[in-house]
Amino acid sequence: SSQSQSTLLSIFSQEYQKQIKRTHAKHHTSEAVETYYQRYLNGVMKNAAAPVLLELANEVDFAPSLMARIVLERFLQEKEQVIPSKTLINSMLRDPSQIPDGVLANQVYQCTVNDCCYGPLVDCIKHAIGHEHEVLLREMLLEKNLSFIAEDQLRAKGYDKTPDFILEVPVAVEGHIIHWIESKASFGDESSHQAYLQDQFWSYWNRFGPGLVIYWYGFIEELDCHRERGILLKDCFPTDIVTLRHSMAQC
């Protein structure tokens, strides 16, 4: 297959996340939490250096950093006698040295480092890749002398849901008029695309008119079915951009 490795990774990560979401509830029943916590305690008692939590997560087919979160929450509940805040837990998962128990800190660290799809490390990488592609898109727009307003400028003006770039002068791509461009550093599969349409793309369309979404890692071709309504999908920066400035001036 001609798919790049990053496209395949993106697809794998999406499928894996769907599977985790489907089974999420059964790992969070009080029985399951209790079982995991006891198995953790027994495991580290036998051998504190062994990757107890990581192996447990793999055995029950759950994401390691989510397993770490369950056990950390349960540990803190027992220690503090109160339900720990999400902020505290997130902060400890990001920096396990904050966990008041050296053995658990090490166990949590092993989980977050060895998790390919969840956890603070992965969030960081995804954020960086997303940002990288926005920077790339910005450079391409500048190179083509297309004037635009970027998302941060729009946020400053008080817009809440905004695409990455709004073109100050619309352009035509493959015969379709484009007012905005959104960059997605992922593969456009059906479920993520439907969610984006609902949460983002149609509201951009309502507010700013027709636009272009670039899925840098490709997309399922059948999803590009809203061109006539005004949402165009591409997997790269379009080569045939026609600026509408001149034609507008003649009207």
Side-chain angles (χ1 to χ4, degrees), residues 71-83:
V71 170
L72 174 61
E73 262 182 49
R74 178 68 186 74
F75 168 84
L76 292 170
Q77 260 169 20
E78 186 154 297
K79 199 170 157 25
E80 315 292 337
Q81 298 296 315
V82 288
I83 290 179

Side-chain angles (χ1 to χ4, degrees), residues 160-199:
D160 51 351
K161 282 191 177 176
T162 63
D164 294 320
F165 300 100
I166 288 182
L167 302 173
E168 296 202 88
V169 176
V171 298
V173 174
E174 294 167 24
H176 296 274
I177 302 219
I178 300 298
H179 288 268
W180 50 267
I181 305 179
E182 175 77 4
S183 164
K184 292 286 178 211
S186 60
F187 177 80
D189 71 343
E190 190 159 0
S191 60
S192 60
H193 182 63
Q194 293 308 335
Y196 285 140
L197 277 171
Q198 209 176 332
D199 299 340

Side-chain angles (χ1 to χ4, degrees), residues 22-35:
R22 278 198 295 273
T23 60
H24 195 268
K26 77 170 188 194
H27 294 291
H28 282 79
T29 63
S30 50
E31 299 82 40
V33 170
E34 222 31 65
T35 306

Side-chain angles (χ1 to χ4, degrees), residues 8-26:
L8 294 174
L9 269 172
S10 182
I11 295 171
F12 165 76
S13 160
Q14 283 162 340
E15 288 307 313
Y16 179 73
Q17 286 175 4
K18 275 184 226 162
Q19 183 215 325
I20 295 290
K21 283 190 185 104
R22 278 198 295 273
T23 60
H24 195 268
K26 77 170 188 194

Side-chain angles (χ1 to χ4, degrees), residues 143-158:
E143 202 177 295
K144 291 259 186 270
N145 289 322
L146 297 172
S147 47
F148 56 83
I149 311 170
E151 182 179 23
D152 42 6
Q153 297 165 281
L154 287 157
R155 288 273 159 103
K157 289 182 178 174

